[in-house]
Amino acid sequence: MSEPGTDPDCFHCGQPVPPGASYRVEILGERQDMCCAGCQAVAQAIVDNGLDDFYRHRTAPAPQARELVPEALKRLDLYDSPAIQEGFVGSDEAAHKTASLILEGITCAACVWLNERHVRALPGVVDFQVNYSTHRARVVWDDSRLQLSDILKAIASIGYVAHPFDPGRQEALQKKERSAALRRLAVAGLGAMQVMMLAVAMYAGDYSGMDDQLRSFMRWVSLLLTVPVVFYSAQSFFVSAWRDLRRLQFSMDVPVSLAIGGAFSASVWHTLQGQGEVYYDSVCMFTFFLLASRFLEQGARHKAGQAAEALVKLLPAVATRIVDGRHQEVAVAELAPGDDVMVRPGDTVPADGTVRVGESSVDESLLTGESLPRPKAPGDPVTGGSVNVESPLVFRVEKVGEDTLVSGIVRLLDRAQTEKPRLAQLADRVAGWFVFALLVVAGGVAGWWMMTDPSRAFTITLSVLVVTCPCALSLATPTAITAATGTLTRLGLLTTRGHALETLAQATTVLFDKTGTLTRGELRLARAIPLGAVDMARAKALAAGLELGSEHPVAKVLLAASDVPLPLDNLRSRPGRGMAGELDGTTYRIGAPEYAAAIYGGVVPPSPVEPGTQVLLSSTEGPLAWFILEDSPRDDAADAVALLKAQGLKVAICSGDAERPVAAVAAAVGIDSWQSAMQPADKLEYVHRLQSAGEVVVMVGDGVNDAPVLAGAQVSVAMGSGAQLAHASADMVMLSERLAILAQGFEGARRTRSIIRQNLAWAVLYNAAAVPLAAAGLVAPWMAALGMSASSLVVVFNALRLRQLGTAGPAR
């Protein structure tokens, strides 16, 4: 440690810090001084790789920085250990290794593009894809040519941090990122409010007169208020801009940083000189607007990333394995193919396999969307993540880990999200050329004025940079989307992804899942048909009496159908088939037609033509009644479909249910095109076929089985009552149960597209008019700042018109 009053020593190597040097790294919660950029880089690498304890336990500083570099980076070599890789590294069909990583430092689509291009260029890397929504990366590499640590080091060399995926660490990182963003936004907002009050007073003083000492005092106060905004809130812009420039990339943060830094520097100089214009208000407001838009995007991304991991939680943590007749509680990760596992009623099946002992019903609604539990008997398959409903089952494990259906859905979800159109990346790359053009123009203007009138060169160049700063371009889309999404949320349609409204306006086809989307997702008794031996009231009473001992969903419907259930004796359950009981010496059965018919000879009576679940009541003397159970369409489903068709959209059903109920619902709501008995992969393939034909697809669903297809569609909408994972995969969530809100969503999307086009047109026209005037020296910096602010206000106020979505007519 250095003595008070002396120059500090480098925290890393112990050498004196040169006067005026400003190299700092946050270590163990404190900002520490470094003597040079080399020590700063090494110290930052140590911190980024979680090796802070090095500084806590070292006995002396390193004599030279280079001596510590190998030790810090060698820690990454631990990830090459086969023992450590067992937890997160797998293999593909070509025997290449695969791993899921978390990337820290991703701020925009350009970061994704940079990382993918850089890592794919490494010899031995087969593929590298980054999911911008979750910041998860999937890397495939040839272990004979490249080690995982080499990939991690390559990522670190361009300023990012990568480590194996860990849900707990990811959640902690997201909380830290959100907390830091909120603090920066709060500081910028407070500073902007205070500085703007002083700016209004100084602007008024230009016209009504103001004492020079009072004006100087207000400038100094504005300077003090702007310092934390520039050096704390806007720090992320400067860091990102410097990182991009080192890689010869030109993101939107480059002119943003130049404008903020240039305007602030000029303002400080003019404050010290006591004359000239200051731009503290523009610096603070510009920083606040940009941080606000990025904070909203970050919140949506974090929510999507956290919920997307919910699929893994479908599987329990422990399972009951049977070994030599003894039951052992073991971690699910310890199960292997060939193990026998006991699943009690109410427990979740821990892996995929085949039933060996027992009969029961299994609820697979979270995986298949089916409204009824499915009967399971010896020889039938069971799926990990489904729930045993009635009786104990013993099944033999066949697939575990990455081979299970749940893991397959996870892979489909990740792949579908990765294959989303990268409109944001394309926009950022285009913006890079736009930014480069702006910088060239500003440089050309500076050079010309340096030769013509050097005294005016800085002021005019600053004017060009400020007046052409893409503030209006940056705000054109997010302000419109924010206004529209706020209004739609109030109406009952929550937008969770920024691109949803823009793409929704281009949609041509709407696909609906059936169960829980077009229908209520609740069984009801549609019809009871006595077959002659008993009347309807007695048939219902017998059915209710038989179901008194069952918790099956069908039992709840039949119990509700009779006010006075008949008390039967010796009630018996045949899991997955039905119930049996005795009354006055006669045996009765209710359940699956074949099961009920077996009691009197096995001849099933002609089944009703009505669609739905068919339940037969019988006795030893013959069949007594049919019960038809249906999941009825929502009340406004037909009206919603008609409204969507009136807007020129194609409407279809894409369901995992059987053909008859799907066809019935389609006819009831007015849909001509439908698909039935589809697995998650089938749905995703169907969407891809439509997209290949040029269709822009909107998918509306509610189940976990809908997650991959929701992610694969250009726009996805989840029902608010649906599974959390459906919300995670969806771009929009219906908070209201009214399907008609979809029609309002399409109207809002089209109006939003119109507003965005107007905002962009205004931004382009403004820059086209302002740049020549500023370059000619006809626009003073204060006028440029006012023009930039005015252009932003025009964009914001135009976007606020979208708050009237619920009252205006359809947009063209």
Side-chain angles (χ1 to χ4, degrees):
M1 298 293 293
S2 58
E3 297 295 331
T6 65
D7 291 333
D9 293 334
C10 177
F11 186 79
H12 181 73
C13 70
Q15 299 298 314
V17 175
S22 180
Y23 305 102
R24 291 189 173 184
V25 177
E26 184 173 338
I27 302 174
L28 302 176
E30 297 183 8
R31 301 287 291 179
Q32 303 291 351
D33 291 305
M34 305 291 160
C35 64
C36 63
C39 284
Q40 182 189 39
V42 172
Q44 191 65 56
I46 292 174
V47 172
D48 290 343
N49 286 285
L51 309 176
D52 307 59
D53 286 344
F54 165 80
Y55 291 107
R56 182 181 287 114
H57 301 301
R58 66 177 179 174
T59 57
Q64 297 181 21
R66 65 175 180 269
E67 296 180 11
L68 295 179
V69 178
E71 292 301 323
L73 295 181
K74 281 180 181 178
R75 297 294 293 271
L76 294 177
D77 294 339
L78 293 174
Y79 291 124
D80 296 333
S81 168
I84 294 179
Q85 289 188 359
E86 284 183 1
F88 66 95
V89 174
S91 299
D92 64 5
E93 297 80 0
H96 295 136
K97 287 195 173 183
T98 66
S100 292
L101 307 175
I102 297 179
L103 288 185
E104 298 181 39
I106 299 291
T107 59
C108 65
C111 299
V112 174
W113 174 79
L114 175 61
N115 275 275
E116 289 183 343
R117 189 180 69 166
H118 182 69
V119 175
R120 286 173 181 169
L122 297 175
V125 172
V126 179
D127 191 25
F128 184 73
Q129 293 182 342
V130 181
N131 187 322
Y132 176 60
S133 297
T134 61
H135 290 186
R136 286 178 59 179
R138 180 176 180 270
V139 60
V140 182
W141 77 98
D142 184 349
D143 195 49
S144 64
R145 302 177 59 194
L146 188 74
Q147 298 296 314
L148 178 59
S149 60
D150 297 327
I151 299 174
L152 301 181
K153 293 172 185 177
I155 294 173
S157 70
I158 58 174
Y160 300 87
V161 180
H163 50 78
F165 171 69
D166 177 3
R169 184 171 182 181
Q170 183 184 42
E171 183 177 358
L173 289 173
Q174 289 179 347
K175 288 182 178 179
K176 179 180 178 181
E177 183 182 0
R178 181 176 177 84
S179 177
L182 187 60
R183 289 195 300 269
R184 295 183 191 278
L185 180 62
V187 170
L190 291 173
M193 288 188 291
Q194 303 302 319
V195 172
M196 281 302 297
M197 288 191 295
L198 296 172
V200 169
M202 286 190 286
Y203 287 145
D206 290 338
Y207 296 96
S208 60
M210 176 179 287
D211 182 73
D212 290 341
Q213 291 185 346
L214 179 58
R215 182 185 300 278
S216 178
F217 173 74
M218 288 186 172
R219 288 186 171 189
W220 279 103
V221 173
S222 299
L223 169 59
L224 294 177
L225 291 171
T226 307
V227 166
V229 175
V230 172
F231 291 98
Y232 178 70
S233 295
Q235 182 186 46
S236 59
F237 301 137
F238 295 111
V239 172
S240 178
W242 173 243
R243 183 173 59 200
D244 292 336
L245 289 174
R246 286 194 305 168
R247 305 295 304 179
L248 299 180
Q249 304 295 324
F250 295 93
S251 68
M252 299 292 279
D253 285 336
V254 174
V256 165
S257 300
L258 289 175
I260 293 175
F264 179 73
S265 299
S267 300
V268 172
W269 175 254
H270 293 160
T271 299
L272 294 173
Q273 295 296 313
Q275 58 183 357
E277 302 296 335
V278 293
Y279 321 105
Y280 298 121
D281 54 336
S282 297
V283 170
C284 292
M285 292 301 294
F286 188 30
T287 302
F288 175 74
F289 279 138
L290 288 180
L291 288 176
S293 64
R294 293 191 179 186
F295 181 77
L296 293 175
E297 177 191 356
Q298 180 190 94
R301 177 173 55 79
H302 281 185
K303 181 180 179 180
Q306 291 168 356
E309 301 305 323
L311 257 183
V312 180
K313 298 179 181 179
L314 284 178
L315 298 179
V318 296
T320 303
R321 184 168 58 189
I322 302 176
V323 180
D324 297 330
R326 293 180 292 109
H327 292 185
Q328 299 177 348
E329 298 293 326
V330 299
V332 170
E334 297 181 17
L335 294 179
D339 288 345
D340 288 337
V341 176
M342 164 75 74
V343 184
R344 300 179 180 86
D347 287 351
T348 301
V349 178
D352 294 355
T354 301
V355 176
R356 294 193 63 211
V357 180
E359 295 182 358
S360 184
S361 294
V362 174
D363 182 359
E364 298 180 346
S365 58
L366 284 175
L367 297 169
T368 66
E370 292 286 351
S371 54
L372 294 174
R374 292 183 174 181
K376 298 294 180 181
D380 291 339
V382 289
T383 304
S386 57
V387 179
N388 185 19
V389 176
E390 294 171 325
S391 301
L393 288 176
V394 176
F395 77 98
R396 175 151 294 176
V397 175
E398 295 178 350
K399 296 180 180 180
V400 296
E402 293 296 315
D403 296 328
T404 62
L405 177 63
V406 169
S407 297
I409 294 179
V410 170
R411 288 194 297 272
L412 285 174
L413 177 59
D414 283 341
R415 186 179 68 181
Q417 288 181 336
T418 303
E419 292 176 351
K420 273 182 176 291
R422 298 183 178 182
L423 298 178
Q425 293 190 34
L426 177 61
D428 208 66
R429 293 176 66 179
V430 171
W433 289 105
F434 175 75
V435 169
F436 180 73
L438 291 182
L439 296 177
V440 170
V441 169
V445 170
W448 192 89
W449 279 101
M450 283 296 294
M451 295 183 295
T452 305
D453 188 353
S455 63
R456 301 182 62 193
F458 177 79
T459 302
I460 292 177
T461 302
L462 183 60
S463 296
V464 172
L465 194 60
V466 171
V467 83
T468 59
C469 191
C471 184
L473 286 172
S474 300
L475 295 173
T477 298
T479 51
I481 289 177
T482 300
T485 52
T487 302
L488 289 176
T489 300
R490 188 171 66 249
L491 296 175
L493 184 62
L494 174 66
T495 304
T496 62
R497 306 267 173 90
H499 74 89
L501 288 176
E502 182 180 1
T503 312
L504 191 67
Q506 305 168 5
T508 60
T509 300
V510 182
L511 296 182
F512 284 98
D513 179 46
K514 182 186 76 70
T515 304
T517 303
L518 287 174
T519 66
R520 298 176 181 276
E522 301 173 355
L523 286 174
R524 68 178 183 88
L525 180 61
R527 188 181 178 193
I529 308 174
L531 298 179
V534 296
D535 59 19
M536 183 176 294
R538 183 168 178 80
K540 289 183 176 179
L542 282 169
L546 285 167
E547 297 288 5
L548 279 173
S550 174
E551 292 296 324
H552 197 280
V554 170
K556 297 178 182 179
V557 176
L558 295 178
L559 281 169
S562 176
D563 295 330
V564 187
L566 290 175
L568 279 76
D569 299 323
N570 194 22
L571 289 175
R572 303 178 299 279
S573 171
R574 179 74 181 277
R577 306 301 291 168
M579 296 288 296
E582 297 175 1
L583 179 64
D584 298 332
T586 302
T587 301
Y588 295 88
R589 282 188 181 183
I590 189 170
E594 294 79 7
Y595 168 73
I599 196 175
Y600 62 81
V603 180
V604 178
S607 61
V609 296
E610 291 93 342
T613 301
Q614 300 179 353
V615 178
L616 180 63
L617 171 68
S618 67
S619 70
T620 51
E621 299 177 358
L624 301 179
W626 281 106
F627 295 93
I628 311 300
L629 283 70
E630 291 182 351
D631 183 7
S632 59
R634 296 179 184 271
D635 294 336
D636 66 336
D639 293 337
V641 170
L643 287 172
L644 294 174
K645 288 183 175 180
Q647 293 181 350
L649 295 163
K650 303 172 187 176
V651 183
I653 295 177
C654 187
S655 175
D657 280 354
E659 180 177 345
R660 179 180 286 186
V662 173
V665 170
V669 301
I671 295 178
D672 300 323
S673 176
W674 50 269
Q675 302 287 330
S676 62
M678 303 186 78
Q679 296 297 317
D682 300 328
K683 294 182 180 182
L684 186 58
E685 174 62 26
Y686 181 66
V687 167
H688 285 168
R689 289 204 307 269
L690 291 176
Q691 292 170 336
S692 299
E695 301 289 337
V696 179
V697 180
V698 176
M699 179 67 197
V700 187
D702 78 323
V704 169
N705 65 306
D706 296 322
V709 69
L710 285 171
Q714 280 98 333
V715 180
S716 49
V717 183
M719 303 298 295
S721 57
Q724 180 68 14
L725 185 72
H727 298 175
S729 304
D731 303 312
M732 310 180 86
V733 177
M734 292 181 60
L735 304 178
S736 169
E737 293 298 313
R738 296 185 305 109
L739 286 175
I741 190 64
L742 280 175
Q744 291 178 294
F746 280 97
E747 174 195 341
R750 291 169 181 176
R751 290 193 61 198
T752 302
R753 179 177 61 178
S754 176
I755 294 294
I756 289 174
R757 288 176 175 176
Q758 294 170 12
N759 285 350
L760 291 173
W762 160 255
V764 171
L765 291 174
Y766 163 77
N767 281 283
V771 169
L773 294 175
L778 301 177
V779 178
W782 68 269
M783 295 173 61
L786 286 178
M788 181 185 67
S789 300
S791 66
S792 301
L793 290 176
V794 168
V795 166
V796 171
F797 282 121
N798 189 42
L800 289 180
R801 295 194 296 128
L802 290 168
R803 298 176 65 184
Q804 307 301 320
L805 276 178
T807 59
R812 294 186 180 274

